[in-house]
Amino acid sequence: MRVPLSWLREYVDLPATETGRDVQAKLVSAGLEVETVEQLGADLKGPLVVGQVLTIEELEGFKKPIRFCTVDVGTANGTGEPQEIVCGARNFAVGDKVVVVLPGAVLPGGFAISARKTYGRNSHGMICSSDELGMGDDGTKGIIVLPPETEVGKDAIELLELVDEVLDIAVTANRGDCLSIRGVARETAIAYGLPLRDPALLDVPGPNAFGHPVQVSDPFGCDRFTARTVTGLDPEARSPIWLKRRLQKVGMRPISLAVDITNYVMMELGQPLHAYDRNLVQGTIGVRRATEGEKIVTLDGVTRKLHAEDLVITDDRGPIGLAGVMGGADTEIADHDAEDGANASTEVVIEAAHFDQVSIARTARRHKLSSEASRRFERGVDPLAASAAAQRTVDLLVLLAGGTADAGVTEVIAPSAPHTIAVPADHPDKVAGVVYGRETVVRRLQEVGCDVYGQDELIVTVPSWRPDLADINDLAEEVIRLEGYENLPSTLPKPPSGRGLTHRQRLHRRVGRALAGAGYVEAPNYPFISEQVFDQLGLDADDPARRVVRLTNPLSDEEPALRTSLLPGLLGALRRNDGRGSHDLALFETGLVFQPRAEQGVAVALPVDRRPTDEEIATLDAALPEQPRHVAVVLAGAREQAGWWGKGRPADWADAVEAGRVVAREAGAELIVRKGQYGPWHPGRCAEFVVVVDGAERVVGHAGELHPRVVKALGLPARTCAAELDLDVLEQVGDDTPQAPSISSFPVATQDVALVVDEFVPHTEVEAALREGAGELLEGIRLFDVYENAEQLGEGRKSLAYALRFRAGDRTLTVDEASAARDAAVALAGERTGAVLRS
């Protein structure tokens, strides 16, 4: 929200010496986030005056149209003679009043003006556009043409209000009242302890039976609708300079007088309005839910297909506007300068209504149509300001457009009671840990507009412009922020010594360090996903990973669910980095995934004035989804770079499997790796990770090369590999107690063995049998060769060569002992896998 300081001073008598920076400090202390203070015209230096074009000579022989003009600037040039100026703009004519900058002036950006020869003529100054003066977009894209009654020679800096300060406030979602000059003025008045001149305090006539007919069919979606009519508007009337400048300062573009007035009142009071051409409205104005599939052409010229939940404004023909979002083209106000200027609107119906916040937010998001009106309705608009805003609009149309206010006043109001809250007078004291006292609490609540009664227990009636004050803690926050967050005592907690990180946190950090040491780069991602990604990953229709927790109010409609896997985010990061030229990638992430419970509970709000009880915490935990921590890696491109040291090699499925082993080693878990097949992985290049939990095997993850269909669907590099494991289960079965290495003084006995097995037999099964059969003398085992040759081994057979290391802790092993252990290992492998010694 952009707030000009000059506009703010109309409602609060700030000290003349107060600057925008001073006001910023006060508002920040009161809890508003004032991001910047823009100094308009800070580097602007005159003379900048009003001139009248006397003659225009078209210069020929140049690539673009050039005009040589003489302009009367009065005595501003010191001589009273016409000023000669060369100009390339075409949107002005002889007799027009324009803004002229004379030699010696400096325009925004440090652009100094001097007399110079250009296009064969001497030019003494410049005729200015709004962009050149830093005024913002005025809709003309050309020279500023002033009203005919403007005095020649008048100081244009003062006329156009070019020097000002504008506060840019980042308004949070709960403070819709501050999306208006009125709301910010109220906060400023409180911060300075000054009275507020409320612009909404107007004499408003009561409703009667003579106004434009209105029928509200959905009182929940629209609980208040005010309609006023103004006739006899002068089609030649234009927005005055002060009105245009205020709109430009708050970031809006002037359009036409009627539209500018509705925008002005919206920025002033925070109440969105809409003006309909009365001659284009057919019959009764209605408010209802749309019929599924209905269509409307909005003011931006887009034909929109409506949803059954959309709230629409209608007449006898059908929808004429998306309620609270944007009006329809069928009843648009026609300006005299438009193509159909002959049919300029002379009679308008003003709509000032109050719509349901959630309904407007969903409609705006559904149609991807965020407007100034929808931004305000989403955050909460003062329902009692509608009639005042309509009256303010009528007054300005009468004043500036020469209209006549129709006697009819239509108001449709759904009955409602003011919101009251019972709060102990010392509740803010308990929340803040500061003794404010009852008088301070009452005074601060009254300053924000609350009616307060009672002694030890206060009965607080919340003002209509603060729908965010819903419970006692909201009231406590108001007291605390107005008393100053900076005045809260700062007390550092004193944790008991010797605790440090939890076991889970230590494992999380160790895994991250181990993967980083293995060459992976951590890439944390947002936990939001699209459900379409499961199709791209090739998951079965009944895969548990498809059961997701959906967000009620997602940041993006394209990603409305919480992730059940880390892979979608990591693969997206890999795709983005590959698209930006980084082709050799190894990324990892450790994070939570979210699995809905079979029975979903309802979360309760925990107290803030005391520690929640164990039962309250347990109830809250039971309402949350399961949130196990996973770890995942993705790889693409080269795993080892080529250079003078060698050829290098690409990343493959074995690297992904090894990453799983690295994680298991850090957790102290015994990981079983065997052939698997699941979802996004290539069925012939997928490993399954298994651990034993309470005597039963449990799959904790997969690793390998992704299926080509998945690679294509996600736009990934060819042969992309990935792995994902459940880190919590590894922690559960692991024993990460540090083990000192046993160093023997006796020599090792090495035996190599080559076994021939069927090609479908995984080497892990062979290795497990060898390990068990060799017994306690086996110190280590390593697969060092895989050989396939149909002529030597037979069709469908392969040879696996292992190096076995034997050692005893109390003696030197004899050859017979090592050979016996080897033979036992081979025998068990043959029994279990059909392995035979290769001759």
Coordinates of all heavy atoms in Angstrom, one line a residue, residues 340-386:
D340 N -16.2 4.9 -28.6 CA -17.6 5.2 -28.7 C -17.9 6.5 -27.9 O -18.9 6.5 -27.2 CB -18.4 4.0 -28.2 CG -18.0 3.6 -26.8 OD1 -17.0 4.1 -26.3 OD2 -18.8 2.9 -26.2
G341 N -17.0 7.5 -28.0 CA -17.2 8.7 -27.2 C -18.5 9.4 -27.4 O -19.0 10.1 -26.5
A342 N -19.2 9.2 -28.5 CA -20.5 9.8 -28.7 C -21.5 9.3 -27.7 O -22.5 9.9 -27.4 CB -21.0 9.6 -30.2
N343 N -21.3 8.0 -27.2 CA -22.2 7.4 -26.3 C -21.6 7.4 -24.9 O -21.8 6.4 -24.1 CB -22.5 6.0 -26.7 CG -23.2 5.9 -28.1 OD1 -24.1 6.7 -28.4 ND2 -22.8 5.0 -28.9
A344 N -20.9 8.5 -24.5 CA -20.3 8.5 -23.2 C -21.4 8.5 -22.1 O -22.5 9.0 -22.3 CB -19.5 9.8 -23.1
S345 N -21.0 7.8 -21.0 CA -22.0 7.6 -20.0 C -22.4 8.9 -19.3 O -21.5 9.7 -18.9 CB -21.4 6.6 -18.9 OG -21.1 5.4 -19.6
T346 N -23.7 9.1 -19.1 CA -24.1 10.3 -18.4 C -24.9 9.9 -17.1 O -25.3 10.8 -16.3 CB -25.0 11.1 -19.3 OG1 -26.1 10.3 -19.8 CG2 -24.2 11.7 -20.5
E347 N -25.3 8.6 -17.0 CA -26.0 8.1 -15.8 C -25.3 6.9 -15.3 O -25.0 6.0 -16.1 CB -27.4 7.8 -16.1 CG -28.2 9.1 -16.6 CD -29.7 8.7 -16.9 OE1 -30.0 7.5 -16.8 OE2 -30.5 9.6 -17.2
V348 N -25.0 6.9 -14.0 CA -24.3 5.7 -13.4 C -25.0 5.2 -12.2 O -25.7 6.0 -11.5 CB -22.8 6.1 -13.1 CG1 -22.0 6.4 -14.3 CG2 -22.7 7.1 -12.0
V349 N -24.8 3.9 -11.9 CA -25.3 3.3 -10.7 C -24.0 2.9 -9.9 O -23.2 2.2 -10.5 CB -26.2 2.1 -11.0 CG1 -26.6 1.4 -9.6 CG2 -27.4 2.5 -11.7
I350 N -23.9 3.3 -8.7 CA -22.8 3.0 -7.9 C -23.1 1.8 -7.0 O -24.1 1.8 -6.3 CB -22.4 4.3 -7.0 CG1 -22.2 5.5 -7.8 CG2 -21.2 4.0 -6.1 CD1 -21.1 5.4 -8.8
E351 N -22.2 0.9 -7.0 CA -22.3 -0.3 -6.2 C -21.2 -0.2 -5.1 O -20.0 -0.1 -5.3 CB -22.1 -1.6 -7.0 CG -21.8 -2.8 -6.1 CD -21.0 -3.9 -6.8 OE1 -21.3 -4.3 -7.9 OE2 -19.9 -4.3 -6.2
A352 N -21.7 -0.3 -3.8 CA -20.8 -0.4 -2.7 C -21.3 -1.6 -1.8 O -22.4 -1.5 -1.2 CB -20.8 0.8 -1.8
A353 N -20.6 -2.7 -1.8 CA -21.1 -3.9 -1.2 C -20.0 -4.6 -0.3 O -18.9 -4.2 -0.4 CB -21.5 -5.0 -2.3
H354 N -20.5 -5.5 0.5 CA -19.6 -6.3 1.3 C -19.7 -7.7 1.0 O -20.8 -8.3 1.2 CB -19.8 -6.0 2.8 CG -18.8 -6.7 3.7 ND1 -19.1 -7.9 4.4 CD2 -17.6 -6.3 4.1 CE1 -18.1 -8.2 5.1 NE2 -17.1 -7.3 4.9
F355 N -18.6 -8.4 0.6 CA -18.7 -9.8 0.2 C -17.9 -10.6 1.1 O -17.0 -10.2 1.8 CB -18.1 -9.9 -1.3 CG -18.9 -9.1 -2.3 CD1 -18.3 -8.0 -2.9 CD2 -20.2 -9.4 -2.6 CE1 -19.0 -7.3 -3.9 CE2 -20.9 -8.7 -3.6 CZ -20.3 -7.6 -4.2
D356 N -18.2 -11.9 1.1 CA -17.5 -12.9 1.9 C -16.0 -13.0 1.5 O -15.7 -13.2 0.3 CB -18.2 -14.3 1.8 CG -17.4 -15.4 2.5 OD1 -17.2 -15.2 3.8 OD2 -17.0 -16.4 1.9
Q357 N -15.1 -13.0 2.5 CA -13.7 -13.0 2.2 C -13.2 -14.2 1.4 O -12.5 -14.2 0.4 CB -12.9 -12.9 3.5 CG -13.0 -11.6 4.2 CD -12.2 -11.6 5.5 OE1 -12.8 -11.5 6.6 NE2 -10.9 -11.8 5.5
V358 N -13.6 -15.4 1.9 CA -13.2 -16.7 1.4 C -13.7 -16.8 0.0 O -13.0 -17.3 -1.0 CB -13.6 -17.8 2.3 CG1 -13.3 -19.2 1.6 CG2 -13.0 -17.7 3.6
S359 N -15.0 -16.4 -0.3 CA -15.5 -16.6 -1.6 C -14.8 -15.7 -2.6 O -14.5 -16.2 -3.7 CB -17.0 -16.2 -1.6 OG -17.6 -16.2 -2.9
I360 N -14.5 -14.5 -2.3 CA -13.8 -13.6 -3.2 C -12.3 -14.2 -3.4 O -11.8 -14.1 -4.6 CB -13.7 -12.2 -2.7 CG1 -15.1 -11.7 -2.5 CG2 -12.9 -11.3 -3.6 CD1 -16.0 -11.7 -3.7
A361 N -11.7 -14.6 -2.4 CA -10.3 -15.1 -2.5 C -10.3 -16.3 -3.5 O -9.4 -16.4 -4.3 CB -9.7 -15.5 -1.2
R362 N -11.3 -17.2 -3.3 CA -11.3 -18.4 -4.2 C -11.6 -18.0 -5.6 O -11.0 -18.6 -6.6 CB -12.3 -19.4 -3.6 CG -11.8 -20.1 -2.3 CD -12.8 -21.0 -1.8 NE -12.3 -21.7 -0.6 CZ -13.0 -22.5 0.2 NH1 -14.3 -22.7 -0.1 NH2 -12.5 -23.1 1.2
T363 N -12.5 -17.1 -5.8 CA -12.8 -16.7 -7.2 C -11.6 -16.0 -7.9 O -11.3 -16.4 -9.0 CB -14.0 -15.7 -7.2 OG1 -15.2 -16.4 -6.7 CG2 -14.3 -15.2 -8.6
A364 N -11.0 -15.1 -7.2 CA -9.8 -14.5 -7.7 C -8.7 -15.5 -8.1 O -8.1 -15.4 -9.1 CB -9.3 -13.4 -6.8
R365 N -8.5 -16.4 -7.2 CA -7.5 -17.4 -7.5 C -7.9 -18.4 -8.6 O -7.1 -18.8 -9.4 CB -7.2 -18.2 -6.2 CG -6.0 -19.1 -6.3 CD -5.6 -19.6 -4.9 NE -5.1 -18.4 -4.1 CZ -4.8 -18.5 -2.8 NH1 -4.9 -19.6 -2.2 NH2 -4.4 -17.4 -2.2
R366 N -9.2 -18.8 -8.6 CA -9.6 -19.7 -9.6 C -9.5 -19.1 -11.0 O -9.1 -19.8 -12.0 CB -11.1 -20.0 -9.3 CG -11.7 -21.1 -10.2 CD -13.2 -21.4 -9.8 NE -13.3 -21.8 -8.5 CZ -13.9 -21.1 -7.5 NH1 -14.5 -20.0 -7.7 NH2 -14.0 -21.6 -6.3
H367 N -9.7 -17.8 -11.1 CA -9.7 -17.2 -12.5 C -8.3 -16.5 -12.7 O -8.2 -15.8 -13.7 CB -10.8 -16.2 -12.6 CG -12.2 -16.8 -12.6 ND1 -12.7 -17.4 -13.8 CD2 -13.1 -16.9 -11.7 CE1 -13.9 -17.9 -13.5 NE2 -14.2 -17.6 -12.3
K368 N -7.4 -16.6 -11.7 CA -6.1 -16.0 -11.8 C -6.3 -14.5 -12.1 O -5.7 -14.0 -13.0 CB -5.2 -16.7 -12.9 CG -4.9 -18.1 -12.5 CD -4.0 -18.8 -13.6 CE -3.6 -20.2 -13.2 NZ -4.7 -21.1 -12.9
L369 N -7.1 -13.9 -11.3 CA -7.5 -12.5 -11.6 C -7.4 -11.7 -10.3 O -8.5 -11.5 -9.6 CB -8.9 -12.4 -12.2 CG -9.4 -11.1 -12.6 CD1 -8.5 -10.5 -13.7 CD2 -10.9 -11.2 -13.1
S370 N -6.2 -11.3 -9.9 CA -6.1 -10.5 -8.7 C -6.3 -9.0 -9.0 O -5.6 -8.5 -10.0 CB -4.7 -10.7 -8.1 OG -4.6 -9.9 -6.9
S371 N -7.2 -8.3 -8.3 CA -7.4 -6.9 -8.6 C -7.3 -6.2 -7.2 O -7.2 -6.8 -6.2 CB -8.8 -6.7 -9.1 OG -9.8 -7.1 -8.2
E372 N -7.3 -4.8 -7.3 CA -7.2 -4.0 -6.1 C -8.4 -4.3 -5.2 O -8.3 -4.3 -4.0 CB -7.2 -2.5 -6.5 CG -5.9 -2.1 -7.1 CD -4.7 -2.1 -6.1 OE1 -4.9 -2.1 -4.9 OE2 -3.5 -2.1 -6.6
A373 N -9.6 -4.5 -5.9 CA -10.8 -4.8 -5.1 C -10.7 -6.2 -4.4 O -11.0 -6.3 -3.2 CB -12.0 -4.8 -6.0
S374 N -10.2 -7.2 -5.1 CA -10.2 -8.6 -4.5 C -9.1 -8.6 -3.4 O -9.3 -9.3 -2.4 CB -9.8 -9.6 -5.6 OG -8.5 -9.4 -6.1
R375 N -8.0 -7.9 -3.6 CA -7.0 -7.8 -2.5 C -7.6 -7.3 -1.2 O -7.3 -7.8 -0.1 CB -5.8 -6.9 -2.9 CG -4.9 -7.5 -4.0 CD -3.8 -6.5 -4.2 NE -2.9 -6.3 -3.0 CZ -2.5 -5.2 -2.6 NH1 -2.8 -4.1 -3.2 NH2 -1.7 -5.1 -1.5
R376 N -8.5 -6.4 -1.3 CA -9.1 -5.8 -0.1 C -10.2 -6.7 0.5 O -10.2 -6.9 1.7 CB -9.7 -4.4 -0.4 CG -8.6 -3.4 -0.5 CD -9.0 -2.1 -1.2 NE -7.8 -1.1 -1.2 CZ -6.7 -1.2 -1.9 NH1 -6.6 -2.2 -2.8 NH2 -5.8 -0.4 -1.8
F377 N -11.0 -7.3 -0.3 CA -12.1 -8.2 0.2 C -11.4 -9.4 0.8 O -11.9 -9.9 1.8 CB -13.0 -8.5 -0.9 CG -14.1 -7.5 -1.2 CD1 -14.2 -6.9 -2.5 CD2 -14.9 -7.0 -0.2 CE1 -15.1 -6.0 -2.8 CE2 -15.9 -6.1 -0.5 CZ -16.0 -5.5 -1.7
E378 N -10.3 -9.9 0.2 CA -9.7 -11.1 0.8 C -9.2 -10.8 2.2 O -9.2 -11.7 3.0 CB -8.5 -11.5 -0.1 CG -8.9 -12.1 -1.5 CD -7.7 -12.3 -2.3 OE1 -6.5 -12.3 -1.8 OE2 -7.8 -12.5 -3.5
R379 N -8.8 -9.6 2.5 CA -8.2 -9.3 3.8 C -9.2 -8.7 4.8 O -8.8 -8.6 5.9 CB -7.0 -8.3 3.6 CG -5.8 -9.0 2.9 CD -4.9 -8.0 2.3 NE -3.7 -8.6 1.8 CZ -3.6 -9.2 0.6 NH1 -4.6 -9.3 -0.1 NH2 -2.4 -9.8 0.2
G380 N -10.3 -8.4 4.3 CA -11.4 -7.9 5.2 C -11.6 -6.4 5.0 O -10.7 -5.6 5.1
V381 N -12.9 -6.1 4.6 CA -13.3 -4.7 4.4 C -14.3 -4.4 5.5 O -15.1 -5.2 5.9 CB -13.9 -4.6 3.0 CG1 -14.6 -3.3 2.8 CG2 -12.8 -4.8 1.9
D382 N -14.3 -3.1 5.9 CA -15.3 -2.6 6.9 C -16.7 -2.7 6.3 O -17.0 -1.9 5.3 CB -14.9 -1.2 7.3 CG -15.8 -0.6 8.3 OD1 -16.7 -1.3 8.8 OD2 -15.6 0.6 8.7
P383 N -17.6 -3.5 6.8 CA -18.9 -3.6 6.2 C -19.7 -2.3 6.4 O -20.6 -2.0 5.6 CB -19.6 -4.8 6.9 CG -18.8 -4.9 8.1 CD -17.4 -4.5 7.9
L384 N -19.4 -1.6 7.5 CA -20.2 -0.4 7.7 C -19.7 0.8 6.9 O -20.3 1.9 7.0 CB -20.1 0.0 9.2 CG -20.6 -1.1 10.2 CD1 -20.6 -0.6 11.6 CD2 -22.0 -1.6 9.8
A385 N -18.7 0.6 6.1 CA -18.1 1.8 5.3 C -18.8 1.8 4.0 O -18.6 2.8 3.2 CB -16.6 1.6 5.1
A386 N -19.6 0.8 3.6 CA -20.2 0.8 2.3 C -21.1 2.0 2.0 O -20.9 2.6 0.9 CB -21.0 -0.5 2.1

